Amino acid sequence: MTDKNAMDKLKGKAKEATGKLTGDRRKEAEGKGDQAKAKANDAMDGARDRAKGVKDSLTDDDGR
């Protein structure tokens, strides 16, 4: 998890909690959306890292 994704997830949790406390369903939904976006970004980062690992394992030490 990158720092940006962690911050986005934390902001989403805060937004969701604020929405629940104030009864603002839109704010609550925005918070849940922010958390989902951060989670999706984490998944993309993981897939990118795995793809790089596969590429690296298939190349020579020379980078060919």
Side-chain angles (χ1 to χ4, degrees):
M1 175 182 301
T2 65
D3 289 340
K4 182 182 180 339
N5 290 344
M7 285 301 297
D8 287 344
K9 196 175 288 186
L10 185 61
K11 286 179 190 176
K13 285 182 182 279
K15 209 183 267 189
E16 179 184 2
T18 301
K20 282 182 180 179
L21 286 172
T22 61
D24 186 346
R25 292 172 33 157
R26 183 175 179 184
K27 179 80 66 186
E28 185 179 346
E30 285 177 12
K32 287 180 180 182
D34 291 347
Q35 291 175 68
K37 182 179 171 185
K39 187 175 182 180
N41 285 334
D42 280 341
M44 287 299 296
D45 290 345
R48 189 176 302 116
D49 290 344
R50 284 189 299 281
K52 185 180 180 326
V54 168
K55 178 186 171 261
D56 291 346
S57 70
L58 295 174
T59 59
D60 300 11
D61 291 338
D62 304 10
R64 287 188 265 161

